[in-house]
Amino acid sequence: MLSILRVEEVELNNTKHNMIIERTKKEVIIRLSPSVDTKGLQQLVDYLTYKEATSKSKAKQLDVDNLAKEIKVGWWAKNRSRLIK
């Protein structure tokens, strides 16, 4: 089964850009113009990868923030002498 979720045509800098989002049983397919900025596209892919990886997580944001802080403090303690001379 294939369903097209959205077709959007946008004009930017006198150029038309099309975006098509399709859903199949196994995947979601996003079709973009080849002129899309690859850096921005990579950031989007990274975000979607993160969302997929964390979609079933039961962690609360506060727990994630505390873990990140703990990791940063530990990293700084290990690397401070190497970076500050």
Side-chain angles (χ1 to χ4, degrees):
M1 176 181 129
L2 171 69
S3 64
I4 296 179
L5 302 175
R6 186 171 185 173
V7 177
E8 189 170 312
E9 186 174 324
V10 182
E11 188 166 330
L12 184 63
N13 298 328
N14 297 320
T15 305
K16 290 185 179 185
H17 301 275
N18 292 310
M19 177 174 59
I20 300 172
I21 302 173
E22 302 173 28
R23 179 183 298 274
T24 68
K25 287 183 179 181
K26 295 183 178 184
E27 60 193 355
V28 174
I29 303 164
I30 302 172
R31 298 181 192 278
L32 303 168
S33 166
S35 61
V36 171
D37 171 49
T38 54
K39 182 179 179 185
L41 185 57
Q42 184 60 55
Q43 290 173 335
L44 176 62
V45 169
D46 292 345
Y47 174 73
L48 294 173
T49 301
Y50 159 78
K51 290 297 285 183
E52 184 177 34
T54 61
S55 66
K56 295 179 182 167
S57 173
K58 295 187 185 339
K60 294 182 174 78
Q61 187 61 48
L62 181 61
D63 297 332
V64 172
D65 293 342
N66 288 336
L67 179 60
K69 184 177 180 181
E70 190 177 315
I71 289 168
K72 287 178 185 177
V73 168
W75 183 91
W76 184 246
K78 288 180 186 175
N79 293 285
R80 180 183 175 129
S81 63
R82 181 173 62 90
L83 297 171
I84 297 178
K85 297 182 183 205

